[in-house]
Amino acid sequence: MPGTPRDITSHAPAPPHGRHGGTVGARGTTGTGGAGPPGRREFGALAGLALSSPAGCGLRPATAYVPEVAPGSITPIDGLPAGASITVTGKNFTEQLILGKIGVIAATAAGFDVVDLTNVPGSVPARELMTSGEADMSWEYTGTAWLTYMGQTEGIPDQTEQWEAVRDMDEPAGLTWLEPAPLNNTYALAVRSDAVDELGGISTLSELADLPIEERTLCVEAEFNSRADGLIPLLETYGIPRDDPDGVPEDNISIYDTGAVYTATARGSCNFGEVFTTDGRIESLDLTVLEDDLGYFPAYNVAAILNTSTLETYPELADVYDQVTPVLTDDALRTLNLRVDENGELPADVAFEFMVEQGFVTKP
């Protein structure tokens, strides 16, 4: 049976701060903070990485800690001028903090003096640092750029097509998108892993229609439940319309506060819960993500973006970040995000250990 709506007994974190950094949720932004995917707690309270406001753009990290770095497979660029400097920026939710530090560490290993402008509060300020030329490098999500910065109304589910679209549209802005990572931080439905066999070995969203109606129970957040591109069109796409006796009856849907969906799904309050694909709780609560086999959800692959003029000056930077991008997967970031969100580790330490494990850098 579905769980109690607006459940307050689960161990949900504080309201998450999603990749978009806005306050309107998954596919838009109105400023700082945000309730959109992924379900990440803002890291400022965890590590005290507040921003100060000196002259210039007004965004300077109070601390910009990264461990000391020695070369690995990433080595200093031949002929790099002494004092060559680049500025790396990024947003202030867990995944972006980790990716930002990966960007800093990679550039440091390549021989640059790096100005660390990660931990920027919100997508729009981070974007403005890139478009103004005050920052040289960031990691961005294709869907965020397309829907938030470029003002498009519908995402492109095909990951390659979505990346190509933002790459081409950002070229006149003086920004170059490098190849996208496998990481695709988008919406998904997940099931507790120990229930998969009980539910016929389900692995795709299309297979929801094969289940008995009483097993099509869903836990979702209020926003996903009501938004025009959320639950209702998802169920229609997969042939199990909402509030239809042959689809998903209204009583099968439970609405939970932000963050509580994960624990409700894990404890069996429903069979399927709305999640974000790189959230560490998928791993810690042993949930299994169902494949979106009809491509309903837009693509949100992450990619390194470089200021085009910076890349023209230092073309070797593309090779530096192209080494890192292929290992940025959903599974990898779930593990790294979990270490920060639940274990309380610093993003810089988590990023550094990951880079060492991958052989990109070494410990001095």
Side-chain angles (χ1 to χ4, degrees):
M1 293 294 293
T4 303
R6 314 304 287 176
D7 190 307
I8 60 173
T9 62
S10 65
H11 298 89
H17 292 254
R19 61 177 167 253
H20 307 280
T23 56
V24 297
R27 294 176 177 82
T29 180
T30 59
T32 62
R40 304 281 183 263
R41 283 172 278 183
E42 184 176 2
F43 190 72
L46 181 62
L49 296 180
L51 292 179
S52 56
S53 300
C57 67
L59 297 170
R60 294 292 184 271
T63 62
Y65 162 74
V66 291
E68 291 191 20
V69 175
S73 62
I74 299 175
T75 58
I77 294 171
D78 290 339
L80 190 68
S85 175
I86 68 167
T87 298
V88 176
T89 192
K91 306 166 203 176
N92 67 338
F93 60 89
T94 301
E95 184 168 287
Q96 275 278 302
L97 290 168
I98 295 168
L99 290 172
K101 295 302 183 183
I102 286 174
V104 170
I105 291 166
T108 301
F112 288 93
D113 293 338
V114 181
V115 177
D116 185 346
L117 281 188
T118 59
N119 197 25
V120 172
S123 293
V124 172
R127 169 73 171 184
E128 289 174 350
L129 287 171
M130 290 297 296
T131 56
S132 69
E134 293 182 71
D136 303 292
M137 184 273 166
S138 67
W139 298 96
E140 189 55 88
Y141 304 92
T142 54
T144 304
W146 187 246
L147 296 164
T148 301
Y149 309 145
M150 300 172 184
Q152 304 300 310
T153 57
E154 294 185 7
I156 302 173
D158 184 271
Q159 296 180 30
T160 300
E161 291 180 6
Q162 181 65 91
W163 171 75
E164 290 174 342
V166 295
R167 177 201 61 189
D168 294 346
M169 190 166 285
D170 249 355
E171 184 178 359
L175 300 176
T176 298
W177 287 69
L178 302 185
E179 292 290 324
L183 183 160
N184 179 28
N185 190 357
T186 190
Y187 280 119
L189 292 185
V191 56
R192 66 189 190 282
S193 296
D194 61 7
V196 169
D197 289 341
E198 302 169 16
L199 296 170
I202 190 167
S203 62
T204 69
L205 291 180
S206 288
E207 292 169 332
L208 288 170
D210 298 330
L211 295 176
I213 293 172
E214 61 269 20
E215 298 290 358
R216 301 173 192 165
T217 56
L218 300 170
C219 295
V220 298
E221 294 182 359
E223 182 189 358
F224 186 70
N225 176 63
S226 61
R227 59 183 303 130
D229 55 356
L231 182 61
I232 292 175
L234 169 67
L235 297 178
E236 290 175 350
T237 296
Y238 280 95
I240 46 173
R242 181 177 186 156
D243 203 18
D244 186 303
D246 296 320
V248 177
E250 198 67 30
D251 288 346
N252 283 27
I253 301 169
S254 297
I255 312 302
Y256 286 81
D257 288 327
T258 296
V261 169
Y262 291 81
T263 47
T265 305
R267 68 174 178 239
S269 298
C270 58
N271 283 329
F272 306 99
E274 166 213 351
V275 299
F276 308 113
T277 53
T278 64
D279 196 298
R281 287 170 291 181
I282 291 172
E283 180 175 302
S284 66
L285 296 173
D286 194 22
L287 303 178
T288 296
V289 175
L290 300 182
E291 178 189 352
D292 177 21
D293 50 315
L294 297 184
Y296 172 77
F297 294 120
Y300 283 90
N301 295 88
V302 80
I305 303 179
L306 291 166
N307 184 291
T308 302
S309 62
T310 303
L311 184 59
E312 290 171 349
T313 303
Y314 307 115
E316 298 89 349
L317 274 171
D319 295 331
V320 170
Y321 289 110
D322 282 345
Q323 288 187 57
V324 178
T325 296
V327 301
L328 300 178
T329 65
D330 288 356
D331 287 343
L333 266 296
R334 281 177 201 153
T335 299
L336 301 183
N337 288 329
L338 186 67
R339 288 175 59 182
V340 174
D341 282 338
E342 295 201 4
N343 299 348
E345 298 181 58
L346 291 175
D349 289 335
V350 170
F352 177 69
E353 291 177 17
F354 175 75
M355 294 288 279
V356 170
E357 290 168 1
Q358 297 296 326
F360 299 131
V361 302
T362 57
K363 298 178 181 180

